[in-house]
Amino acid sequence: MSQPVDSAVSAVRTYVEQHRATFLDDLAEWLRIPSVSARPDHAADVRRSADWLAAALTATGFPTTEIWTTPGAPAVYAEWPSPDPGAPTVLVYGHHDVQPAAREDGWHSEPFEPVVRDNRMYARGAADDKGQVFFHTLGVRAHLATTGRTAPAVHLKLLIEGEEESGSPHFRDLVERHADRLAADVVIVSDTGMWSEDTPTVCTGMRGLAECEIRLHGPDQDIHSGSFGGAVPNPATAVARLVAALHDEHARVAIPGFYDDVVELTDRERELFAELPFDEREWLRAASSHATGGEAGYSTLERVWARPTAEVNGIGGGYQGPGSKTIIPSSAMVKLSFRLVAGQDPGRIEKAVRDWVAGQIPDGIRCEIAFSPATRPCLTPLDHPALESVARAMGRAFGTPVRFTREGGSGPAADLQDVLGAPVLFLGISVPSDGWHAPDEKVELDLLLKGAEASAHLWNDLAEHWRHVP
Amino acid sequence: MSQPVDSAVSAVRTYVEQHRATFLDDLAEWLRIPSVSARPDHAADVRRSADWLAAALTATGFPTTEIWTTPGAPAVYAEWPSPDPGAPTVLVYGHHDVQPAAREDGWHSEPFEPVVRDNRMYARGAADDKGQVFFHTLGVRAHLATTGRTAPAVHLKLLIEGEEESGSPHFRDLVERHADRLAADVVIVSDTGMWSEDTPTVCTGMRGLAECEIRLHGPDQDIHSGSFGGAVPNPATAVARLVAALHDEHARVAIPGFYDDVVELTDRERELFAELPFDEREWLRAASSHATGGEAGYSTLERVWARPTAEVNGIGGGYQGPGSKTIIPSSAMVKLSFRLVAGQDPGRIEKAVRDWVAGQIPDGIRCEIAFSPATRPCLTPLDHPALESVARAMGRAFGTPVRFTREGGSGPAADLQDVLGAPVLFLGISVPSDGWHAPDEKVELDLLLKGAEASAHLWNDLAEHWRHVP
């Protein structure tokens, strides 16, 4: 069943190239479905996206394909057993929902009408995460075609959820409910990126995420800033002061207890980060930003990969239209998100935030605070043996050894680790310039196909090097 | 020409009562025109409002009625000379434009469909300022009818502008252009309020107003708060810090130079303020607010009447819709308004704000700041003789001596004082609960008719006590 590496590499590559056009047409069809899970008015689209994927997985050859409903958006589950009962079981995780997007946010083409320009496909979800889910369908077909198999070398399972972009509120329940079906030796998460086109990497962990909306209420209605200004508390001012107090002068989060459980970076990890070919100007370009800045004592990579944050995602209150309106607004709100790192517990962070906010509210202002369901941080030990399979599969696809990174974003991978007791590994081909959550999100088509190649190699490698241990 | 006071009072009252119904029907018709000057999409409505008023003034008997165009919204001018060449010339000032209003802001009825409930008329502009402009039409007719005149005892001029609610950007130009036509011995501003239904008062000054919108630009587009959060400046955080830095720990405006030219309250003025029957709970109810608070060392009345302020009228940036969106926003903005008091020059304040803001912007954030045309503060000396005529006219309408207040709001009265060299006096019947700029703005119908009575008495009193001094 094992082939010489070079011939396997070129066989997989040839297969993937031959099926490139159909694969991209199918992906574009999926991307046309605006499966925005954060918007209740798109609920039907998220369901349509799940149905589309289930049909595509059936067409790929998965003998079992199911829609798993939740109180929110549905997930898609598929499995394809190996004929070898002792083969390891691999669970692939991804998501089929996407971030909100509108042409007027600054897109150069319709976000839900994919276009290919310069060998890139532009669409909301092209990289995050439909593209990276979909390369596995081409990967498994390449694996079968190039090895002459009719079923994969591993017991293959896919769980593609529909609420990742709204904080996966029902994901842990779903995983707990279906823990028997989902049982796996290893989890492969395809919802991360790599360093760059030239430096393929494997991610070893993601940050967690706690999100809240804080609304401060002042006057019962908007009131005249001339008649009353200067003599009553203004909720827009209060919300601004709250945000200003979030960080201290070292740009550290000023909420008491926020850093209590943080697992600090080891010297070895800081060395690995420092060895990466980091170019601040390039990074800033990918960030569309004009300066770096953040917690004192840490590099940019350390800040985004291994340090917790508090960021304002939205702020609003009073009159925002054209012209002016001389009011003291009745209320103002801020949406905050906290990225969490290994060791931090979302429940403890929520309590710390609530306690801190309660102490910041001035007389005459009433505070409402609501947390969305949180996502735990997650970290794969650098010395885990299964990481070698992923690194080799990526290395074969890219023709070069891979390096190791972390990911600043968040995913529900930690719930899979918790519930299933399986190590979580990351296989992703997105690059920082892909513009996740931003206008003009895109995926590099060459990398997308490398992802399919890596997927094809991975199932063989895991079957050879990783046996099911009951 | 002079009558015994008691008989004049009852004759005016009877006339006003008899014409109450028609007067209110006409006012309601005017209030149905949504003359929102701050909204470009309402420009035609503002013009329609001017035309309506001009026709109403012609119907009232003004021999000359004109629409005065500006580069923005038009003003209405009318004049009605006295047969007595030596009579004083009085210029009445008001405005026919209104604040924005929408049912969903919390109105209990359509803001531009007046309804009468509990002897109050609810509509945007009912008190600010259409109701207070319109009572003069009934006032002058009562004056003529009860004195048997065919023309007023004074040379009466009206200037009703159409841009007061957007900061009167073209008003000073307009006044300068028409200074000859507008020449007057005294200016009567009907765009203020009085203490309460039971305590009629005459206002002696208004605060000025400087307004700006500050927009801070960070990333060139919204970016992913996971991939980049913690390592680049966030413009929403920066705008919040700017707002938080606006005031010091004593709630004083922290902009260097802001208080340099402030004319401080005299002991006598503080005494007059302190003698008013101020009930903090009632005031808070009128303010729809739940606590007082402001500059240390000053009472609530001093804070709103005689101290300058910095207030947030609107703040916004990033994602404000339902659910969450894990972004660092590309930009954020704040609309600030500064109320100014006697002595403060809007131009110097604008410079102080610009200098201060420039020093607050962090690396990687670009700042845009735009000021709207400002309104100067204005103050009538307490010992001015023409104040006596206004106080007497109000006293006759209300049957009780009046007291003196100031007004926290702003109007372009100071420009009239500057350009025409005439003292500015205030005649207004609105009360604090009228909800200027707020949902459910209303006017008390009994007070509105007292305004008409005061207007009727004032022309006689001024003609008797105030001669034209060439």
Side-chain angles (χ1 to χ4, degrees), chain A residues 38-40 99-101 105-106 124 128 165-167 207 209 211 213 217-234 236-237 239-241 243-244 247-248 251 283-284 286-295 300 303-304 307 309-329 332-333 335 337 339 363-365 372 407-410 432 435-440, chain B residues 38-40 99-101 105-106 124 128 165-167 207 209 211 213 217-234 236-237 239-241 243-244 247-248 251 283-284 286-295 300 303-304 307 309-329 332-333 335 337 339 363-365 372 407-410 432 435-440:
Chain A
R39 300 285 302 258
Q99 280 278 312
D105 294 342
R124 173 58 86 226
D128 177 20
E165 297 296 3
S166 21
R207 293 197 287 193
L209 179 61
E211 291 173 286
E213 180 173 319
H217 299 271
D220 295 333
Q221 53 194 357
D222 292 349
I223 59 172
H224 192 288
S225 71
S227 304
F228 304 108
V232 295
N234 180 326
T237 307
V239 91
R241 288 176 186 168
V243 170
H247 296 86
D248 69 13
W283 185 88
L284 273 175
S288 301
S289 290
H290 303 280
T292 57
E295 189 183 355
T300 295
R303 286 168 178 163
V304 293
R307 299 302 299 170
T309 67
E311 290 285 358
V312 177
N313 308 123
I315 190 168
Y319 187 66
Q320 300 180 48
S324 58
K325 190 174 180 189
T326 47
I327 53 163
I328 296 175
M333 73 90 202
K335 289 177 194 272
S337 64
R339 296 285 164 177
D363 271 4
I365 299 282
S372 310
E407 172 69 42
S410 307
W436 289 30
H437 298 203
D440 288 345
Chain B
R39 299 284 304 257
Q99 280 278 311
D105 294 342
R124 172 60 83 226
D128 175 21
E165 298 296 2
S166 21
R207 294 195 286 193
L209 179 62
E211 292 172 287
E213 179 173 320
H217 299 271
D220 295 332
Q221 54 194 357
D222 292 348
I223 59 172
H224 191 288
S225 71
S227 304
F228 303 109
V232 295
N234 180 326
T237 307
V239 92
R241 289 177 184 167
V243 170
H247 296 87
D248 69 14
W283 186 87
L284 273 177
S288 303
S289 289
H290 303 281
T292 57
E295 189 182 354
T300 294
R303 286 168 178 163
V304 293
R307 299 301 299 169
T309 67
E311 290 284 359
V312 177
N313 307 123
I315 190 168
Y319 187 66
Q320 300 181 48
S324 58
K325 191 174 180 189
T326 47
I327 53 163
I328 295 175
M333 72 90 200
K335 288 178 193 273
S337 64
R339 295 285 164 177
D363 270 4
I365 299 283
S372 310
E407 173 68 43
S410 307
W436 290 30
H437 297 203
D440 287 345

Side-chain angles (χ1 to χ4, degrees), chain B residues 408-419:
Chain B
S410 307
D415 284 330
L416 292 167
Q417 194 158 24
D418 276 10
V419 179

Side-chain angles (χ1 to χ4, degrees), chain B residues 178-366:
Chain B
H178 297 286
D180 287 351
R181 303 283 303 281
L182 294 171
D185 297 291
V186 60
V187 176
I188 301 289
V189 169
S190 282
D191 185 27
T192 58
M194 54 180 218
W195 181 262
S196 71
E197 200 160 342
D198 307 322
T199 307
T201 51
V202 171
C203 169
T204 65
M206 299 182 80
R207 294 195 286 193
L209 179 62
E211 292 172 287
C212 66
E213 179 173 320
I214 301 169
R215 187 167 284 278
L216 300 188
H217 299 271
D220 295 332
Q221 54 194 357
D222 292 348
I223 59 172
H224 191 288
S225 71
S227 304
F228 303 109
V232 295
N234 180 326
T237 307
V239 92
R241 289 177 184 167
L242 190 71
V243 170
L246 257 181
H247 296 87
D248 69 14
E249 68 276 27
H250 306 296
R252 282 172 66 85
V253 178
I255 296 170
F258 187 76
Y259 293 95
D260 279 0
D261 304 320
V262 166
V263 174
E264 297 291 335
L265 280 162
T266 64
D267 289 346
R268 175 71 191 133
E269 286 168 313
R270 298 189 84 167
E271 278 169 31
L272 278 174
F273 288 3
E275 283 167 10
L276 285 161
F278 180 74
D279 178 322
E280 185 170 280
R281 276 170 54 192
E282 252 177 51
W283 186 87
L284 273 177
R285 206 174 305 126
S288 303
S289 289
H290 303 281
T292 57
E295 189 182 354
Y298 294 91
S299 71
T300 294
L301 287 184
E302 289 166 355
R303 286 168 178 163
V304 293
W305 287 350
R307 299 301 299 169
T309 67
E311 290 284 359
V312 177
N313 307 123
I315 190 168
Y319 187 66
Q320 300 181 48
S324 58
K325 191 174 180 189
T326 47
I327 53 163
I328 295 175
S330 169
S331 72
M333 72 90 200
V334 62
K335 288 178 193 273
L336 297 178
S337 64
F338 300 90
R339 295 285 164 177
L340 309 179
V341 298
Q344 287 183 298
D345 173 67
R348 287 195 63 183
I349 294 298
E350 174 175 336
K351 183 175 184 316
V353 173
R354 285 182 182 277
D355 289 351
W356 176 78
V357 168
Q360 302 285 317
I361 307 305
D363 270 4
I365 299 283
R366 182 169 58 82

